Amino acid sequence: MAKVKTITQKEAAGLFKDGMTIMIGGFMVNGTAERLVEAIVESGAKDLTIICNDAGFPNRGTGRLLETRQAKKLIASHVGLNKTCGEQYSAGELDLVLTPQGTLAEQIRSGGAGLGGVLTPTGIGTTVADGKQIVEVDGKEYLLEKPLKADIALIKAYQVDEAGNVRYKGSTRNFNNMMATAADIVIVEADQHVEAGAIGPDFVETPGIYVDYILEGGAN
């Protein structure tokens, strides 16, 4: 079984370039690869489009990239816990796309599955529908929400083995699993690094075929 390349935080920083679209897993920083976020900060890459559930907290999670002003556009569901996000949006410094959480999840899933998008009634009759195609099915209107993909996805795992197979723990599954399918490059940061085969087949939630790099070191 082939091993996936393990890289340092400095090497990870070298992967980020200006103008990239980056997916960051996590839910209010729970399940967010914070060391990899720090690698983005170290890279100095700017004008980034960030796709994530939320804006994190001030100077934590996605919030780090708002503090450093590296994020030009944010596609997320909830930003209320980070006043920096509101301030930058109000000042016209951040392009903010607020998306219903279920819709965001389905857009990412569609991107990973190679679908043309997802039809949803959520947002019909609201500003969410502005500029979007409306499709009628059996007399009911739906919004066509187009798929989302990224140049790089940052995934936080409980365990990763040498072949890149990933196991999550509890609610850290959130967006991580689907984001791992929807990016050209996937980097995994894990609490534990184990030998190939140590994660039983019933517990592998992201197969190693999706993983390009593993960040060295872990919490344990």
Side-chain angles (χ1 to χ4, degrees):
M1 187 176 294
K3 292 184 178 180
V4 171
K5 183 178 180 181
T6 298
I7 58 175
T8 65
Q9 188 167 315
K10 183 177 180 179
E11 289 173 326
L15 297 173
F16 302 107
K17 308 299 179 185
D18 293 354
M20 275 188 163
T21 297
I22 302 173
M23 288 182 177
I24 302 177
F27 188 102
M28 307 304 172
V29 187
N30 179 46
T32 295
E34 293 193 77
R35 290 173 56 213
L36 285 173
V37 171
E38 200 60 35
I40 300 177
V41 174
E42 292 173 9
S43 76
K46 58 185 183 299
D47 297 330
L48 302 174
T49 294
I50 304 299
I51 301 172
C52 57
N53 174 71
D54 54 82
F57 297 114
N59 218 28
R60 278 201 66 194
T62 305
R64 274 293 278 143
L65 304 177
L66 297 177
E67 293 292 334
T68 58
R69 298 183 179 274
Q70 290 170 272
K72 180 180 181 180
K73 182 176 182 178
L74 178 63
I75 301 173
S77 292
H78 177 53
V79 298
L81 296 180
N82 190 343
K83 66 177 183 178
T84 301
C85 181
E87 291 170 351
Q88 291 184 7
Y89 173 68
S90 297
E93 299 168 351
L94 178 69
D95 182 2
L96 176 62
V97 180
L98 281 177
T99 304
Q101 191 175 82
T103 299
L104 180 63
E106 285 297 287
Q107 286 180 285
I108 295 169
R109 185 187 66 80
S110 294
L115 303 179
V118 58
L119 295 179
T120 174
T122 304
I124 288 286
T126 74
T127 56
V128 171
D130 290 351
K132 296 177 181 177
Q133 183 178 348
I134 296 177
V135 179
E136 186 174 309
V137 179
D138 294 334
K140 185 173 182 178
E141 291 187 336
Y142 297 85
L143 290 183
L144 172 61
E145 295 285 3
K146 295 182 179 180
L148 291 174
K149 290 183 68 71
D151 298 300
I152 298 179
L154 310 185
I155 306 304
K156 181 64 166 65
Y158 167 53
Q159 291 180 324
V160 64
D161 71 16
E162 296 169 318
N165 296 306
V166 169
R167 179 183 181 183
Y168 303 101
K169 188 175 184 179
S171 60
T172 62
R173 290 173 178 84
N174 50 62
F175 282 84
N176 281 297
N177 199 4
M178 66 185 73
M179 285 181 173
T181 71
D184 295 333
I185 297 173
V186 174
I187 314 173
V188 171
E189 174 186 329
D191 292 335
Q192 297 180 2
H193 293 231
V194 298
E195 295 181 355
I199 301 175
D202 290 339
F203 298 100
V204 171
E205 294 164 280
T206 294
I209 192 172
Y210 290 110
V211 177
D212 297 285
Y213 300 103
I214 299 169
L215 182 66
E216 72 172 10
N220 298 315

